Amino acid sequence: MLKTLYYIRNKKELQELYLSQMPEKCIRSEINSIINETRKDIPPGMRLNAKNIKTEEALIFIDRNGTPDGYLLSEELKIKLNEYREAELKNKQFLKKINHVS
């Protein structure tokens, strides 16, 4: 029976959810990379030491690595993930259009 995933609040929860799918080192590296992308306004040292993660960051991780084994996303997370994917697609299309113009 699959469990419903409603949120991921910190790096430790994320690691526990994905340990059956990938090495801990890869999980940490990936989430730190995502935090570096999403928190450019925070000094690099503070980004690395962040323990809590934003829903947006967890969704980026899920988008890149799939839903954790044994879980389904809650309706709210599914909606947010789809919104993120649509925004990414629009951004890529926009950048493609700009590159063709210049």
Side-chain angles (χ1 to χ4, degrees), residues 74-90:
S74 68
E75 284 306 309
E76 182 182 358
L77 285 183
K78 283 182 197 172
I79 291 167
K80 287 182 178 185
L81 182 58
N82 285 332
E83 288 171 351
Y84 165 76
R85 287 175 173 162
E86 286 174 18
E88 282 296 295
L89 184 62
K90 285 179 183 174

Side-chain angles (χ1 to χ4, degrees), residues 43-86:
M46 289 179 72
R47 285 185 230 152
L48 194 62
N49 292 323
K51 289 188 179 9
N52 294 330
I53 59 174
K54 299 174 185 177
T55 299
E56 173 195 9
E57 293 160 346
L59 289 172
I60 293 169
F61 191 94
I62 291 169
D63 184 54
R64 293 178 183 176
N65 299 287
T67 305
D69 288 344
Y71 286 88
L72 290 171
L73 297 181
S74 68
E75 284 306 309
E76 182 182 358
L77 285 183
K78 283 182 197 172
I79 291 167
K80 287 182 178 185
L81 182 58
N82 285 332
E83 288 171 351
Y84 165 76
R85 287 175 173 162
E86 286 174 18

Side-chain angles (χ1 to χ4, degrees), residues 88-101:
E88 282 296 295
L89 184 62
K90 285 179 183 174
N91 191 32
K92 285 178 185 172
Q93 289 171 340
F94 176 72
L95 291 174
K96 194 174 180 181
K97 193 181 273 187
I98 288 176
N99 288 334
H100 278 26
V101 172

Side-chain angles (χ1 to χ4, degrees), residues 5 7-18:
L5 184 61
Y7 53 80
I8 301 171
R9 291 199 171 121
N10 56 51
K11 289 180 183 178
K12 186 176 182 189
E13 285 178 14
L14 185 75
Q15 285 179 13
E16 289 169 0
L17 288 167
Y18 282 90

